[in-house]
Amino acid sequence: MFDSFPPPARSRHEELPADWPFRLTRAEPPGEGDPCSTRRRDVVVATRDGGWEEGVVWAWSGQGRPPVRWRCQLEVGGHISWYVHDELLIHPVERGR
């Protein structure tokens, strides 16, 4: 699916166009001292029109005390940015749509 290696810098957090078609909530990228895992995962992402598009999660970062609020660096629709992880909107490819 996505073969760009090495993974993007975890600070990469691109601006998005006004007509962004995905139902995602943006999150701030992790700070210098925040733990971050760069385990890649192929995913499908919910679009505003009820469809799904393939993407890749490049990094994960959790913050807070339990329950931990996860955020992920996601490449989808030609952009790379950080989002709040919502398993209703971002599914592993294996799970399907």
Side-chain angles (χ1 to χ4, degrees), residues 23-58:
R23 299 176 47 207
L24 300 171
T25 303
R26 298 213 351 141
E28 289 300 314
E32 276 301 311
D34 294 338
C36 189
S37 166
T38 55
R39 188 180 57 142
R40 172 198 163 115
R41 172 172 257 172
D42 293 333
V43 296
V44 290
V45 180
T47 60
R48 294 188 188 283
D49 66 3
W52 296 88
E53 187 168 321
E54 293 181 346
V56 63
V57 171
W58 287 109

Side-chain angles (χ1 to χ4, degrees), residues 14-27:
E14 298 173 350
E15 291 299 317
L16 303 175
D19 61 348
W20 190 239
F22 300 97
R23 299 176 47 207
L24 300 171
T25 303
R26 298 213 351 141

Side-chain angles (χ1 to χ4, degrees), residues 53-70:
E53 187 168 321
E54 293 181 346
V56 63
V57 171
W58 287 109
W60 299 86
S61 180
Q63 62 186 154
R65 296 193 176 150
V68 174
R69 291 180 25 198
W70 287 95

